[in-house]
Amino acid sequence: MSAPSSRGFRVRALPGIGEIRPGDDLVAVIADAVAAAGEPLADGDILVVTSKIVSKAEGRIIRATDRERAITDETVRVVATRPTADGGITRIVENRLGMVAAAAGVDASNTDDGTVLLLPEDPDASARLIAAGLRERTGKLLGVLLSDTLGRPWREGQTDVAIGAAGVHVFDDLRGTTDAAGKPLLVTLPCVADELAAAGDLVKGKASGCPVAVVSGLGRLVGDLDLPGARSIVRPAERDLFRLGTDEAIAHGMAAGRSAGYSAGRAIGFAEGFAAALSAAERERVRV
Amino acid sequence: MSAPSSRGFRVRALPGIGEIRPGDDLVAVIADAVAAAGEPLADGDILVVTSKIVSKAEGRIIRATDRERAITDETVRVVATRPTADGGITRIVENRLGMVAAAAGVDASNTDDGTVLLLPEDPDASARLIAAGLRERTGKLLGVLLSDTLGRPWREGQTDVAIGAAGVHVFDDLRGTTDAAGKPLLVTLPCVADELAAAGDLVKGKASGCPVAVVSGLGRLVGDLDLPGARSIVRPAERDLFRLGTDEAIAHGMAAGRSAGYSAGRAIGFAEGFAAALSAAERERVRV
């Protein structure tokens, strides 16, 4: 992290990207916007692309009336549920990409009325297509991240994270290196892809119609197109300490505990009842 | 978010900040580093300061031998536990600041051998002191964030987040505004303080000895020193769907379910045992 190139970077929003329609060629759209902006892309630039416009270009649009079914279709596993202000239920689920996201990442904002957006079919593949196309068009060594906005446990609000990546190191692997005091940084694994997505959100904004940010000056994080994608950021549920919502986990435990406790209590109770009846019968016989 | 000033920003690491010792005046240290760097601070600049150097300046250093006790002292509530590679236990806890963090945020990296660092006593207050001091020295409208590195559920690796804030809007409140399609952005509340901390980490690095980053060009996020601090980012446990680790929550449920099931089973078993004994006694009497 001490290379001069890493001492500073710039993040700019790419203006002039209009509404994206199914079938649009995002490589051409982005290249045109870059040309119109008057600042060409440079080696080591990283483009942070809002996944929403990739979904639109890929035609991942469905009728809003199918939203709940769409969430169910995208769901691998329900992690937790939360009542909404309007009396509905928000499902926080693990989706087919392994991501844990509210409503499985199905999105009803920035869409035409009556429609909702699904996440790209394969965000890492989409990022690779855009990165490869832009590298070919510009001859520059570029990285591409697809970003989405996620809430998180324990902290209010949302931050943008990387759900797709191509040509970018998603982790700045410090394991094996040492800190300034010479101690090994054993468990430190900064997720630079998520940090880049967060930086991009600071200029893209949700309402500004600027779905692409360009990060310049962090070329040390750019590499081959076959680097591990954002899928590698997802922690498998079986290794996750928070794989289930607290209420859901308590309910699971309750059910298991109740049946175990019932069997144990019934056996004890049977013995107690039997003994009580015998001593009652005994008293009777004595009276005779 | 469409103001021209928000269309781009720069992040640079502030070189020349040496080892921080208890009692050091961080305002003077940072001001000197800015002067040495040759680029003065400007209105709207936001300084992202690694909380570690604030802890050191505030003398929040204890002997490493007391680490486990220090974690216990900083702990309000154990959220989850995880076995470590060396056979120990990592406690993920809610600390006295309300943050959920591994080892309560007690830090053994970048410290002298045999010592560990506690988080600042009151990171928002520390940020206010630094921001007020730098504003007075420079006459510029500056913001200050204190950053720390946290892991997160569901995703591998860590990102930097804001644990202290002064003179910075920690949320970019979009509630009440509308998206590009005119739909209200009801639940969107980007945590820009965490996104700024993440951006800062991309230049500060863990091992580079550059504990301060300067973000320029996002003055729209800078405001009064009495804006809500980073404490307002913390979600209270009672409103958190993941207030307890899954295994811990299942164990809670099991215990409650077992005692409830035991009582129910014992009552049924008693009746069954009593009836069984009576019919046995009955058969005996007949035989007589």
Side-chain angles (χ1 to χ4, degrees):
Chain A
M1 313 273 288
S2 55
S5 72
S6 73
R7 300 297 80 205
F9 66 95
R10 271 176 57 237
V11 184
R12 59 187 168 108
L14 199 55
I17 294 181
E19 187 57 25
I20 300 298
R21 299 285 169 203
D24 284 353
D25 174 1
L26 285 182
V27 171
V29 168
I30 293 170
D32 294 347
V34 168
E39 182 178 355
L41 296 172
D43 280 327
D45 282 356
I46 299 166
L47 289 90
V48 183
V49 180
T50 304
S51 62
K52 195 184 303 284
I53 66 168
V54 178
S55 296
K56 288 180 177 176
E58 294 179 356
R60 305 273 294 156
I61 303 169
I62 60 167
R63 307 299 311 165
T65 50
D66 304 332
R67 181 163 188 270
E68 290 308 311
R69 211 192 63 220
I71 294 170
T72 304
D73 294 345
E74 297 276 298
T75 296
V76 171
R77 185 176 68 86
V78 175
V79 172
T81 60
R82 177 183 63 206
T84 57
D86 59 11
I89 290 282
T90 298
R91 284 175 278 172
I92 292 130
V93 308
E94 177 185 330
N95 68 15
R96 56 183 175 74
L97 301 171
M99 289 167 51
V100 176
V106 174
D107 193 340
S109 68
N110 280 297
T111 59
D112 299 333
D113 267 341
T115 68
V116 296
L117 276 181
L118 307 181
L119 291 173
E121 188 71 45
D122 181 345
D124 283 328
S126 302
R128 262 194 308 279
L129 277 174
I130 297 169
L134 285 173
R135 284 183 178 198
E136 196 185 343
R137 264 179 102 109
T138 63
K140 303 296 181 185
L141 191 71
L142 307 170
V144 170
L145 295 174
L146 266 48
S147 67
D148 196 12
T149 304
L150 293 185
R152 58 267 171 92
W154 314 331
R155 299 176 74 76
E156 301 287 2
Q158 306 91 31
T159 59
D160 271 21
V161 301
I163 69 165
V168 181
H169 292 269
V170 295
F171 295 111
D172 195 347
D173 198 336
L174 301 175
R175 288 176 300 190
T177 67
T178 58
D179 63 26
K183 285 211 214 69
L185 285 165
L186 279 176
V187 294
T188 306
L189 187 65
C191 185
V192 286
D194 283 352
E195 294 185 326
L196 285 160
D201 187 50
L202 289 167
V203 295
K204 287 187 310 180
K206 297 275 172 296
S208 63
C210 272
V212 178
V214 181
V215 180
S216 304
L218 291 174
R220 67 184 178 83
L221 299 176
V222 176
D224 299 342
L225 290 181
D226 57 7
L227 283 167
R231 179 76 203 221
S232 64
I233 301 171
V234 172
R235 179 182 297 135
E238 62 272 19
R239 292 204 292 106
D240 200 293
L241 299 179
F242 300 90
R243 63 194 174 278
L244 209 56
T246 300
D247 293 339
E248 289 74 9
I250 288 174
H252 267 58
M254 276 252 189
R258 190 175 291 110
S259 59
Y262 184 87
S263 315
R266 190 176 176 185
I268 295 289
F270 189 94
E272 291 170 336
F274 199 95
L278 286 191
S279 57
E282 189 53 43
R283 280 197 301 280
E284 227 168 64
R285 187 171 295 109
V286 170
R287 219 180 297 113
V288 173
Chain B
M1 313 271 289
S2 53
S5 71
S6 75
R7 301 296 80 206
F9 67 95
R10 269 175 59 236
V11 184
R12 59 188 167 108
L14 199 55
I17 295 181
E19 186 59 23
I20 300 298
R21 298 287 169 202
D24 285 353
D25 174 0
L26 285 183
V27 171
V29 168
I30 292 170
D32 294 348
V34 168
E39 182 178 354
L41 296 172
D43 281 326
D45 281 356
I46 299 166
L47 288 89
V48 183
V49 180
T50 304
S51 62
K52 196 185 301 283
I53 66 168
V54 178
S55 295
K56 288 180 178 177
E58 294 180 356
R60 305 272 295 156
I61 303 169
I62 59 167
R63 308 297 312 164
T65 49
D66 304 331
R67 181 162 188 271
E68 290 308 311
R69 210 192 64 219
I71 294 171
T72 303
D73 295 344
E74 297 276 295
T75 296
V76 170
R77 186 175 69 85
V78 175
V79 172
T81 60
R82 176 182 63 207
T84 58
D86 58 11
I89 291 280
T90 298
R91 284 175 278 172
I92 292 128
V93 308
E94 177 184 329
N95 68 15
R96 53 182 179 76
L97 301 171
M99 288 166 51
V100 176
V106 174
D107 193 339
S109 68
N110 279 297
T111 58
D112 299 334
D113 267 343
T115 68
V116 295
L117 275 181
L118 307 181
L119 290 173
E121 188 70 45
D122 181 346
D124 284 326
S126 302
R128 260 192 309 277
L129 277 175
I130 297 169
L134 285 172
R135 284 183 178 198
E136 196 185 343
R137 263 178 102 109
T138 63
K140 302 296 182 185
L141 190 71
L142 307 171
V144 170
L145 294 174
L146 265 50
S147 67
D148 196 12
T149 304
L150 292 184
R152 59 267 172 92
W154 314 330
R155 299 175 74 76
E156 301 288 3
Q158 306 90 30
T159 58
D160 271 21
V161 301
I163 68 165
V168 181
H169 292 270
V170 296
F171 294 111
D172 195 348
D173 199 334
L174 300 175
R175 289 175 300 190
T177 67
T178 59
D179 63 25
K183 284 210 213 73
L185 285 165
L186 280 176
V187 296
T188 307
L189 188 65
C191 185
V192 286
D194 282 353
E195 294 185 326
L196 284 161
D201 187 49
L202 289 166
V203 295
K204 288 187 308 180
K206 297 276 173 295
S208 62
C210 272
V212 179
V214 181
V215 179
S216 305
L218 291 174
R220 67 184 179 83
L221 298 176
V222 177
D224 298 342
L225 290 181
D226 58 6
L227 284 168
R231 179 75 203 220
S232 65
I233 301 171
V234 172
R235 180 181 297 134
E238 63 271 19
R239 293 203 291 105
D240 200 294
L241 298 179
F242 300 90
R243 62 195 175 279
L244 209 56
T246 301
D247 293 340
E248 289 74 10
I250 289 174
H252 267 58
M254 277 250 189
R258 190 176 289 110
S259 59
Y262 184 87
S263 315
R266 188 176 176 187
I268 294 289
F270 188 94
E272 291 171 335
F274 199 94
L278 285 190
S279 58
E282 189 52 41
R283 281 197 301 278
E284 227 170 62
R285 186 171 295 110
V286 169
R287 221 179 294 114
V288 173

